[in-house]
Amino acid sequence: QHYFIQSNLRMSRGRSNLDSKRVSSELFTLTYGCMVAQLLKDYDNPYEVNKQLDKMGYNIGVRLIEDFLAHSPSTKRCTQLEEAADVIAKQGFRMFLGTVPEIKNWSDAKDEFSIILTENPLAEFVELPPTCTDSLWYSNIICGVLRGALEMIQMEVKVWFLQDTLRGSETTILEDSLPAGED
């Protein structure tokens, strides 16, 4: 099957009515979708695709933290997971995904929390194939990005999806925690 993207854009020297950030985010979303589709073809196993997306995300997160810190010179070093969660939500997600999630459901020990995305820009324009609705975490790359970025600031965490709008939930929720014994 071939898919074509039709565009009604015209080139001119005058002012553009296009929002370049919007066009850029939509291009990223479509490109990400093509990558996930290709991974599904290559691996033919949604569980393996989840692993690959996490691995890719981790490698991105390891490098992305440098860009984030370079563009956020006023950000202070986070020593607690609670501080890191606040920075991730209010600055990181906004800077790289154009959305600000809520941080909720803190454990009593403050070592586990939920990231609640009412809008997941990666899931725009997406409908999962029926064979993947119970097994593929389409945006699993985000888990790897968070894990990689936090590891670079000496916070080893586990990140996983609890629910996803692509699986019929109202919101997308990721869970983030420090492994037992970590502070």
CSV table of all heavy atoms in Angstrom, one decimal, residues 9 29 34 46 87 105 126 164-166 168:
chain,number,residue,atom,x,y,z
A,9,LEU,N,-0.1,23.9,-0.2
A,9,LEU,CA,0.8,25.0,0.2
A,9,LEU,C,1.3,25.6,-1.1
A,9,LEU,O,1.6,24.9,-2.1
A,9,LEU,CB,2.0,24.5,0.9
A,9,LEU,CG,1.7,23.8,2.3
A,9,LEU,CD1,3.0,23.3,2.9
A,9,LEU,CD2,1.0,24.7,3.2
A,29,THR,N,5.3,14.3,13.7
A,29,THR,CA,4.2,13.3,14.0
A,29,THR,C,4.1,12.3,12.9
A,29,THR,O,4.0,11.1,13.1
A,29,THR,CB,2.9,14.0,14.3
A,29,THR,OG1,3.1,14.8,15.4
A,29,THR,CG2,1.8,13.0,14.7
A,34,CYS,N,5.5,6.9,10.4
A,34,CYS,CA,6.1,6.1,9.4
A,34,CYS,C,7.1,5.2,10.0
A,34,CYS,O,7.3,4.0,9.6
A,34,CYS,CB,6.7,7.0,8.3
A,34,CYS,SG,5.5,7.8,7.3
A,46,PRO,N,4.6,-6.7,17.9
A,46,PRO,CA,4.4,-5.4,18.6
A,46,PRO,C,5.3,-5.3,19.9
A,46,PRO,O,5.7,-4.3,20.3
A,46,PRO,CB,2.9,-5.4,18.9
A,46,PRO,CG,2.3,-6.3,17.9
A,46,PRO,CD,3.3,-7.4,17.7
A,87,VAL,N,10.2,19.8,36.5
A,87,VAL,CA,10.9,20.4,35.3
A,87,VAL,C,10.5,19.6,34.0
A,87,VAL,O,10.3,20.3,33.0
A,87,VAL,CB,12.4,20.3,35.6
A,87,VAL,CG1,13.2,20.7,34.3
A,87,VAL,CG2,12.8,21.2,36.7
A,105,ASN,N,-0.5,11.4,41.3
A,105,ASN,CA,-0.4,10.1,41.9
A,105,ASN,C,0.9,9.7,42.5
A,105,ASN,O,1.5,8.7,42.3
A,105,ASN,CB,-0.8,9.0,40.9
A,105,ASN,CG,-2.1,9.2,40.2
A,105,ASN,OD1,-3.1,9.8,40.9
A,105,ASN,ND2,-2.3,8.9,39.0
A,126,VAL,N,-3.4,9.1,14.3
A,126,VAL,CA,-3.0,7.6,14.4
A,126,VAL,C,-4.2,6.8,14.8
A,126,VAL,O,-5.0,7.2,15.6
A,126,VAL,CB,-1.9,7.4,15.5
A,126,VAL,CG1,-1.6,5.9,15.7
A,126,VAL,CG2,-0.7,8.2,15.2
A,164,ASP,N,-3.4,4.4,27.4
A,164,ASP,CA,-3.1,5.2,26.2
A,164,ASP,C,-4.5,5.5,25.5
A,164,ASP,O,-5.3,4.7,25.4
A,164,ASP,CB,-2.2,4.5,25.3
A,164,ASP,CG,-1.7,5.3,24.1
A,164,ASP,OD1,-2.1,6.4,23.9
A,164,ASP,OD2,-0.8,4.8,23.4
A,165,THR,N,-4.6,6.7,25.0
A,165,THR,CA,-5.8,7.1,24.2
A,165,THR,C,-6.0,6.2,23.0
A,165,THR,O,-7.1,6.0,22.6
A,165,THR,CB,-5.8,8.6,23.8
A,165,THR,OG1,-4.6,8.8,23.1
A,165,THR,CG2,-5.9,9.5,25.0
A,166,LEU,N,-4.9,5.7,22.5
A,166,LEU,CA,-5.0,4.9,21.3
A,166,LEU,C,-5.5,3.5,21.7
A,166,LEU,O,-5.9,2.7,20.8
A,166,LEU,CB,-3.6,4.7,20.6
A,166,LEU,CG,-3.0,6.0,20.0
A,166,LEU,CD1,-1.6,5.7,19.5
A,166,LEU,CD2,-3.9,6.4,18.9
A,168,GLY,N,-8.1,3.4,23.8
A,168,GLY,CA,-9.5,3.6,24.2
A,168,GLY,C,-9.6,4.4,25.5
A,168,GLY,O,-10.7,4.7,26.0
